Amino acid sequence: RNILSNNIILAATGKSRGEMNIVIVDKGEGQTPKDMPNTILSISKSNKMRVPFVQGKFNMGGTGALPFCGKHNLEFIISKRCPKINNNSTETSDEWSFTVVRREEARDGRKSSMYTYLTTEDKNLFAFAADEMKIVPKPEQGQFDSMKYGTLIKLYDYDIHGYKTNILFDLNYRLSLLIPNLAHPIRLRECRPGYIGHSMEATLSGLSTRLYDDRGNNIETSFPISYQFSVDEQVFRCSVYLFKPD
């Protein structure tokens, strides 16, 4: 799980303890410069009802975090397609592309604000060639791991009420509870100055995995037990854990 978790990283960065920028790294398929406007940067392009472990419908999972990104809702995105699945449909398909998303105030007759993303004058994403990029934050100040392909998203000045501590503690436990059955483990990294600890990295596996491991020997013998029941002909499956006293 620790090895796998390095493919999906959530890091807290900033110049001080009070600052919270969130960096999300996905070393997965990545996007080409041509495709990103129709995937990460799009809304209402497709429905993810058949993908049970992702957030968002009609491509709105990628925009759900924007209202929490500071005063101007700033978000940075950089991506490169995995070479093994890249069909090289365009001359820039094997390049990195990047953009900045922000909220534009209402103007020119508009009654509400809108989100826009940065492009060149001919409305293409900025793109460049590189075998790898040293952009993945490490807990050691000013140190970065390399990334050969995938997607990195940085959410600036993220408003996360009640979770200002080291993300390995309160945020880790809260995410574990909210996503009990993670499809893939996630690596958490605390990269802000001022925090100390035995380690500044941890693997988020979800509450179900933590209970299964039971490192503190807290679960009674013969548990968990699993069964299913029906309500109005709909079947539900559940697991029951019994904790020891104290």
Side-chain angles (χ1 to χ4, degrees):
R1 289 201 296 265
N2 288 338
I3 294 173
L4 280 174
S5 70
N6 285 306
N7 292 315
I8 303 179
I9 299 170
L10 189 152
T13 69
K15 296 181 180 179
S16 64
R17 291 186 56 162
E19 184 178 350
M20 169 70 92
N21 301 319
I22 292 182
V23 175
I24 302 166
V25 177
D26 177 8
K27 297 180 181 178
E29 60 180 332
Q31 302 293 327
T32 66
K34 181 181 178 181
D35 288 341
M36 202 188 332
N38 297 316
T39 53
I40 299 174
L41 298 171
S42 70
I43 298 179
S44 302
K45 285 290 186 180
S46 66
N47 193 331
K48 294 182 180 178
M49 288 287 287
R50 296 182 181 179
V51 188
F53 55 86
V54 297
Q55 178 212 347
K57 299 174 184 177
F58 303 109
N59 276 30
M60 290 185 287
T63 60
L66 282 169
F68 305 98
C69 295
K71 180 180 179 181
H72 301 289
N73 304 150
L74 284 171
E75 175 186 71
F76 172 77
I77 304 173
I78 184 170
S79 187
K80 180 183 179 181
R81 188 72 168 169
C82 174
K84 292 183 178 180
I85 57 174
N86 188 1
N87 59 14
N88 293 309
S89 58
T90 67
E91 60 183 26
T92 62
S93 291
D94 61 346
E95 295 184 350
W96 294 87
S97 60
F98 68 92
T99 188
V100 175
V101 181
R102 72 177 182 185
R103 180 174 54 84
E104 303 278 359
E105 297 292 349
R107 66 176 189 273
D108 299 331
R110 292 200 311 263
K111 294 183 178 180
S112 61
S113 61
M114 65 183 294
Y115 291 115
T116 60
Y117 62 88
L118 180 68
T119 68
T120 63
E121 290 185 359
D122 53 1
K123 298 184 179 180
N124 293 319
L125 293 188
F126 291 93
F128 61 94
D131 292 334
E132 60 185 50
M133 294 290 292
K134 215 167 187 180
I135 54 177
V136 181
K138 296 177 64 175
E140 297 81 10
Q141 289 297 303
Q143 299 296 311
F144 297 86
D145 283 332
S146 292
M147 185 173 176
K148 294 183 177 181
Y149 57 85
T151 302
L152 181 146
I153 299 175
K154 185 170 184 177
L155 309 172
Y156 289 91
D157 196 18
Y158 201 76
D159 184 10
I160 187 164
H161 290 297
Y163 299 95
K164 299 293 186 180
T165 60
N166 188 326
I167 66 168
L168 305 192
F169 302 127
D170 294 343
L171 183 59
N172 182 7
Y173 302 142
R174 183 60 176 164
L175 290 175
S176 179
L177 184 63
L178 290 173
I179 322 175
N181 295 296
L182 274 174
H184 191 290
I186 297 172
R187 194 68 173 169
L188 301 180
R189 291 183 175 181
E190 179 56 75
C191 306
R192 293 172 294 175
Y195 289 102
I196 57 175
H198 176 70
S199 174
M200 305 308 285
E201 296 188 56
T203 298
L204 172 66
S205 301
L207 181 61
S208 296
T209 300
R210 290 180 59 200
L211 292 174
Y212 179 83
D213 288 345
D214 191 24
R215 294 179 180 178
N217 193 27
N218 295 311
I219 308 298
E220 289 282 11
T221 305
S222 301
F223 283 86
I225 56 175
S226 300
Y227 62 96
Q228 64 183 37
F229 60 94
S230 298
V231 177
D232 295 332
E233 298 184 354
Q234 184 173 355
V235 178
F236 294 86
R237 296 177 177 84
C238 71
S239 298
V240 178
Y241 295 82
L242 182 62
F243 290 86
K244 296 177 180 178
D246 305 320

